[in-house]
Structure formats: structure tokens, C-alpha cells
Amino acid sequence: MDHSDHPTAVLPGDVRIPLLGFGTWQATGEEGYKAVLAALDAGYRHIDTATMYGNEEEVGRAIRESGLRREDVFITTKLPPERVGRERETIEESLRALGVDYVDLWLVHWPPNDSGALIPVWREMLAARDANLARAVGVSNYSTAQIDALIQATEENPAVNQIKWGPRLYDRQRHAEHRDRGVVLEGYSPFKTTDLSDPVLTRIAGAHNVSPAQVVLRWHLDHEIVAIPKSVTPERIRANADIFGFSLNAEEMRDIDALGNS
């Protein structure tokens, strides 16, 4: 499939993040390597990993062996909160493990336990970006108040906030708060938080001749929210990538949004 027309969101510095990514949490060792290779083969061009996942080497090997050019694959990794104070060392370790000179996006995986570290960690993230170790930097699992604290202290907004998201968690206000601050919302665990047998989803899936899981992912994309489904099953990896042949109309979007209030 042609991925040049895959939808993207624009991050600061004119960095484009594909709205469909491939999550690699719990995909380790040979199984993780094969899953990433299968994802790249299925057309994914955005791979999400983290220091904590312990699979950066396998992810890097799969990207190299896919035959794709480095600039054609968007790579995200994350800083664990217990590495506060060792940010530069951590990103350098990640780059070595991945076998690359830079990542496209580096996130703080969770807010640091010590709230006094919130701003210093963010300054170190920005320093890594300015040293060209990451093209963009952001956060994960941050509240709007925490994002505001970073913006207030540095006048630099996180490019992305990666949070748990799905139709049942849809929160119009939270979505708007990200948009108003120029922070791209990236959702993880799209299926874990969703009842895929929900009548609203099965009805809409039937109308488009797709699966409820494909509807959930398309709903993210039509909201311009990044989705990072994860699977190690090649068939499911391919099905999750096959969401570009249909889109949801305004009424279908509203019906799915409403699951967040039910």
C-alpha cells in the first residue's frame, strides 16, 4: 500500500508524525523483532518503543533489515522516570541500542515522582532536541496542568502527550486542551479500553464492511489523534494497518464520541 498519503500531524520544527503507529510494549526478543518487521512490511512507518520495554535493539534490527531508509521510519522512544538526572546518558544508550543517530520523538514516559524535577527534566529533553539527538520531544501520561507548567517555565510546548485513550475514554475537553496548546494527542491501549462488541461499533463496522477494531483506529485518525495499536500476530498487524480505504462520517464520529459519556 502507498504510505506517502498516510495522514500525519505536524510537530514543532515541521516534523511529521504518522497518525498510525505500531506499539511494541511487551513485544520483546525474537517475537518483538518479527512483529516490528511484519509491521513495516504491512505499511506502518511509525514505531513506538521505550527504554522500559527492553526491546530497542530488536526494534532497531527490524528497521535496518526492513530495507527502508532511516528517514522513512518515524521512531519514538521514552525516558523512564527513574532516569531523572541521567537524561543525556539515557538517550545516548537508546540511540546505541536502536543503531541510529537520532530518534524522531523522545518522550518522558511518566511525570517524575519528585514534582520538583518536572521542569529540569523538560529542560534536559529540550537540550537533547537542540543537540539533534531527537527531532521532537514530548511527554506521556501528563495532566494538562503539568503540560502548562512546562510551557510556562520554558515557553516550549511538548510536541506530543501520549495517554491512554479510546472511545470509552473520549473526553472532548481534554482533547480540546491539547489542541489549544499545540500538543498532539497520542492514544495508547486503544483496544484494551474498548468493548469491541459494543453495538455502536459493530453497527458502524458493518456499514463499512470492516472490523470494530478498524473502526476504533479510524476514529482516532479522523480526530487527528495518533493511534499506536500493538499486536504480535501478523494477520492482526495487517488488519490494523488496513484503515485507509474508508472514513467515518460526522454522525458516526458523534456516536462513537458519545461512548465516552455512557
Side-chain angles (χ1 to χ4, degrees):
M1 82 180 147
D2 179 21
H3 30 264
S4 57
D5 58 355
H6 279 198
T8 56
V10 183
L11 308 180
D14 204 29
V15 175
R16 291 190 167 271
I17 181 170
L19 291 183
L20 179 68
F22 183 71
T24 65
W25 181 55
Q26 293 180 324
T28 52
E30 192 65 13
E31 185 181 55
Y33 157 75
K34 285 182 172 157
V36 174
L37 210 50
L40 294 167
D41 187 54
Y44 290 87
R45 293 296 178 265
H46 167 187
I47 307 292
D48 179 273
T49 182
T51 295
M52 250 174 85
Y53 299 170
N55 62 7
E56 288 172 318
E57 283 185 21
E58 288 81 0
V59 167
R61 179 160 68 100
I63 291 169
R64 278 192 305 282
E65 293 185 11
S66 70
L68 293 164
R69 296 181 311 171
R70 166 66 190 93
E71 58 268 30
D72 290 338
V73 182
F74 188 100
I75 305 173
T76 300
T77 193
K78 310 181 193 82
L79 171 85
E82 67 273 12
R83 292 292 188 98
V84 166
R86 292 188 290 153
E87 295 85 357
R88 181 59 64 97
E89 180 193 332
T90 303
I91 183 75
E92 287 174 352
E93 282 172 14
S94 284
L95 296 177
R96 270 197 301 277
L98 287 159
V100 295
D101 297 328
Y102 65 91
V103 289
D104 298 278
L105 180 62
W106 193 34
L107 304 178
V108 187
H109 208 149
W110 295 90
N113 296 331
D114 170 12
S115 59
L118 199 70
I119 309 303
V121 169
W122 182 235
R123 291 195 193 280
E124 287 297 325
M125 302 295 284
L126 294 169
R129 180 201 64 190
D130 293 345
N132 299 319
L133 302 178
R135 292 172 70 217
V137 289
V139 296
S140 182
N141 302 298
Y142 273 53
S143 67
T144 302
Q146 288 167 325
I147 289 172
D148 283 342
L150 304 184
I151 297 171
Q152 207 174 346
T154 63
E155 295 184 354
E156 295 244 29
N157 55 299
V160 166
N161 185 23
Q162 188 183 114
I163 57 177
K164 194 178 277 190
W165 197 257
R168 285 246 171 243
L169 300 176
Y170 185 67
D171 178 337
R172 187 180 305 280
Q173 188 185 342
R174 190 126 200 247
H175 188 195
E177 286 168 352
H178 284 77
R179 219 174 20 237
D180 294 346
R181 288 157 178 77
V183 178
V184 169
L185 178 56
E186 179 169 11
Y188 67 81
S189 297
F191 305 136
K192 201 174 258 184
T193 57
T194 305
D195 173 9
L196 292 174
S197 62
D198 188 289
V200 171
L201 297 176
T202 54
R203 169 174 58 77
I204 294 171
H208 292 279
N209 200 23
V210 296
S211 71
Q214 289 167 316
V215 168
V216 168
L217 295 175
R218 187 71 230 188
W219 170 81
H220 281 72
L221 270 55
D222 287 344
H223 266 313
E224 297 186 340
I225 290 170
V226 180
I228 45 170
K230 63 184 184 62
S231 175
V232 292
T233 317
E235 301 74 49
R236 196 160 300 148
I237 289 171
R238 279 195 296 275
N240 289 343
D242 187 16
I243 55 171
F244 300 102
F246 74 105
S247 64
L248 304 173
N249 64 37
E251 188 184 354
E252 291 169 333
M253 291 292 285
R254 277 197 301 272
D255 288 348
I256 300 172
D257 291 355
L259 295 174
N261 308 318
S262 55

mmCIF file of all heavy atoms in Angstrom, residues 127-146:
data_model
loop_
_atom_site.group_PDB
_atom_site.id
_atom_site.type_symbol
_atom_site.label_atom_id
_atom_site.label_comp_id
_atom_site.label_asym_id
_atom_site.label_seq_id
_atom_site.Cartn_x
_atom_site.Cartn_y
_atom_site.Cartn_z
ATOM 1 N N ALA A 127 17.216 20.144 25.605
ATOM 2 C CA ALA A 127 18.652 20.188 25.292
ATOM 3 C C ALA A 127 19.026 19.045 24.355
ATOM 4 O O ALA A 127 19.828 19.219 23.420
ATOM 5 C CB ALA A 127 19.478 20.115 26.580
ATOM 6 N N ALA A 128 18.431 17.864 24.563
ATOM 7 C CA ALA A 128 18.709 16.716 23.679
ATOM 8 C C ALA A 128 18.199 17.002 22.269
ATOM 9 O O ALA A 128 18.837 16.663 21.270
ATOM 10 C CB ALA A 128 18.065 15.452 24.238
ATOM 11 N N ARG A 129 17.028 17.630 22.203
ATOM 12 C CA ARG A 129 16.493 18.006 20.882
ATOM 13 C C ARG A 129 17.432 19.011 20.208
ATOM 14 O O ARG A 129 17.751 18.886 19.017
ATOM 15 C CB ARG A 129 15.100 18.623 21.045
ATOM 16 C CG ARG A 129 14.456 19.036 19.730
ATOM 17 C CD ARG A 129 13.368 20.063 19.947
ATOM 18 N NE ARG A 129 13.905 21.302 20.495
ATOM 19 C CZ ARG A 129 13.181 22.295 20.966
ATOM 20 N NH1 ARG A 129 11.855 22.191 20.996
ATOM 21 N NH2 ARG A 129 13.742 23.389 21.433
ATOM 22 N N ASP A 130 17.884 20.001 20.973
ATOM 23 C CA ASP A 130 18.744 21.035 20.394
ATOM 24 C C ASP A 130 20.097 20.474 19.972
ATOM 25 O O ASP A 130 20.772 21.044 19.121
ATOM 26 C CB ASP A 130 18.917 22.200 21.383
ATOM 27 C CG ASP A 130 17.600 22.949 21.600
ATOM 28 O OD1 ASP A 130 16.665 22.760 20.784
ATOM 29 O OD2 ASP A 130 17.492 23.702 22.591
ATOM 30 N N ALA A 131 20.472 19.332 20.573
ATOM 31 C CA ALA A 131 21.724 18.654 20.183
ATOM 32 C C ALA A 131 21.482 17.665 19.035
ATOM 33 O O ALA A 131 22.359 16.869 18.696
ATOM 34 C CB ALA A 131 22.310 17.932 21.392
ATOM 35 N N ASN A 132 20.267 17.695 18.469
ATOM 36 C CA ASN A 132 19.894 16.842 17.321
ATOM 37 C C ASN A 132 19.873 15.349 17.644
ATOM 38 O O ASN A 132 20.034 14.516 16.751
ATOM 39 C CB ASN A 132 20.807 17.098 16.109
ATOM 40 C CG ASN A 132 20.707 18.536 15.632
ATOM 41 O OD1 ASN A 132 19.604 19.089 15.584
ATOM 42 N ND2 ASN A 132 21.822 19.150 15.321
ATOM 43 N N LEU A 133 19.672 15.006 18.928
ATOM 44 C CA LEU A 133 19.536 13.593 19.299
ATOM 45 C C LEU A 133 18.088 13.143 19.108
ATOM 46 O O LEU A 133 17.807 11.949 18.964
ATOM 47 C CB LEU A 133 19.974 13.377 20.750
ATOM 48 C CG LEU A 133 21.419 13.809 21.060
ATOM 49 C CD1 LEU A 133 21.736 13.589 22.529
ATOM 50 C CD2 LEU A 133 22.404 13.061 20.185
ATOM 51 N N ALA A 134 17.168 14.111 19.118
ATOM 52 C CA ALA A 134 15.743 13.843 18.866
ATOM 53 C C ALA A 134 15.215 14.999 18.029
ATOM 54 O O ALA A 134 15.557 16.152 18.295
ATOM 55 C CB ALA A 134 14.969 13.751 20.179
ATOM 56 N N ARG A 135 14.392 14.684 17.046
ATOM 57 C CA ARG A 135 13.838 15.760 16.209
ATOM 58 C C ARG A 135 12.739 16.517 16.942
ATOM 59 O O ARG A 135 12.515 17.690 16.687
ATOM 60 C CB ARG A 135 13.305 15.186 14.893
ATOM 61 C CG ARG A 135 14.419 14.661 14.005
ATOM 62 C CD ARG A 135 13.848 13.914 12.794
ATOM 63 N NE ARG A 135 13.204 14.833 11.857
ATOM 64 C CZ ARG A 135 12.096 14.546 11.166
ATOM 65 N NH1 ARG A 135 11.488 13.376 11.326
ATOM 66 N NH2 ARG A 135 11.592 15.411 10.316
ATOM 67 N N ALA A 136 12.023 15.816 17.820
ATOM 68 C CA ALA A 136 10.962 16.453 18.615
ATOM 69 C C ALA A 136 10.939 15.775 19.977
ATOM 70 O O ALA A 136 11.362 14.617 20.110
ATOM 71 C CB ALA A 136 9.612 16.307 17.914
ATOM 72 N N VAL A 137 10.449 16.504 20.980
ATOM 73 C CA VAL A 137 10.364 15.938 22.335
ATOM 74 C C VAL A 137 8.979 16.210 22.913
ATOM 75 O O VAL A 137 8.320 17.196 22.565
ATOM 76 C CB VAL A 137 11.456 16.498 23.278
ATOM 77 C CG1 VAL A 137 12.827 15.947 22.895
ATOM 78 C CG2 VAL A 137 11.480 18.029 23.279
ATOM 79 N N GLY A 138 8.549 15.302 23.777
ATOM 80 C CA GLY A 138 7.220 15.435 24.365
ATOM 81 C C GLY A 138 7.133 14.667 25.664
ATOM 82 O O GLY A 138 8.150 14.324 26.274
ATOM 83 N N VAL A 139 5.898 14.367 26.056
ATOM 84 C CA VAL A 139 5.650 13.724 27.344
ATOM 85 C C VAL A 139 4.617 12.620 27.181
ATOM 86 O O VAL A 139 4.006 12.467 26.125
ATOM 87 C CB VAL A 139 5.170 14.760 28.394
ATOM 88 C CG1 VAL A 139 6.252 15.797 28.680
ATOM 89 C CG2 VAL A 139 3.869 15.450 27.946
ATOM 90 N N SER A 140 4.431 11.860 28.242
ATOM 91 C CA SER A 140 3.447 10.782 28.242
ATOM 92 C C SER A 140 2.830 10.717 29.633
ATOM 93 O O SER A 140 3.541 10.885 30.635
ATOM 94 C CB SER A 140 4.149 9.460 27.892
ATOM 95 O OG SER A 140 3.227 8.398 27.826
ATOM 96 N N ASN A 141 1.526 10.510 29.691
ATOM 97 C CA ASN A 141 0.808 10.394 30.968
ATOM 98 C C ASN A 141 0.847 11.677 31.801
ATOM 99 O O ASN A 141 0.851 11.633 33.027
ATOM 100 C CB ASN A 141 1.359 9.212 31.791
ATOM 101 C CG ASN A 141 1.243 7.901 31.030
ATOM 102 O OD1 ASN A 141 0.145 7.462 30.695
ATOM 103 N ND2 ASN A 141 2.376 7.277 30.718
ATOM 104 N N TYR A 142 0.907 12.826 31.117
ATOM 105 C CA TYR A 142 0.911 14.124 31.810
ATOM 106 C C TYR A 142 -0.501 14.710 31.841
ATOM 107 O O TYR A 142 -1.270 14.547 30.886
ATOM 108 C CB TYR A 142 1.836 15.117 31.100
ATOM 109 C CG TYR A 142 3.291 15.050 31.540
ATOM 110 C CD1 TYR A 142 3.994 13.856 31.528
ATOM 111 C CD2 TYR A 142 3.972 16.186 31.961
ATOM 112 C CE1 TYR A 142 5.326 13.785 31.918
ATOM 113 C CE2 TYR A 142 5.311 16.133 32.358
ATOM 114 C CZ TYR A 142 5.977 14.928 32.340
ATOM 115 O OH TYR A 142 7.296 14.864 32.729
ATOM 116 N N SER A 143 -0.797 15.417 32.928
ATOM 117 C CA SER A 143 -2.063 16.147 33.018
ATOM 118 C C SER A 143 -1.909 17.481 32.281
ATOM 119 O O SER A 143 -0.786 17.934 32.016
ATOM 120 C CB SER A 143 -2.401 16.424 34.482
ATOM 121 O OG SER A 143 -1.449 17.341 35.020
ATOM 122 N N THR A 144 -3.036 18.120 32.000
ATOM 123 C CA THR A 144 -2.981 19.441 31.354
ATOM 124 C C THR A 144 -2.232 20.435 32.240
ATOM 125 O O THR A 144 -1.446 21.255 31.748
ATOM 126 C CB THR A 144 -4.404 19.946 31.047
ATOM 127 O OG1 THR A 144 -5.045 18.985 30.202
ATOM 128 C CG2 THR A 144 -4.378 21.284 30.331
ATOM 129 N N ALA A 145 -2.425 20.355 33.550
ATOM 130 C CA ALA A 145 -1.738 21.276 34.483
ATOM 131 C C ALA A 145 -0.223 21.092 34.409
ATOM 132 O O ALA A 145 0.542 22.073 34.453
ATOM 133 C CB ALA A 145 -2.236 21.049 35.910
ATOM 134 N N GLN A 146 0.216 19.840 34.301
ATOM 135 C CA GLN A 146 1.662 19.581 34.198
ATOM 136 C C GLN A 146 2.217 20.112 32.877
ATOM 137 O O GLN A 146 3.316 20.671 32.837
ATOM 138 C CB GLN A 146 1.935 18.076 34.343
ATOM 139 C CG GLN A 146 1.728 17.589 35.775
ATOM 140 C CD GLN A 146 1.690 16.068 35.877
ATOM 141 O OE1 GLN A 146 1.197 15.379 34.990
ATOM 142 N NE2 GLN A 146 2.216 15.543 36.978
#
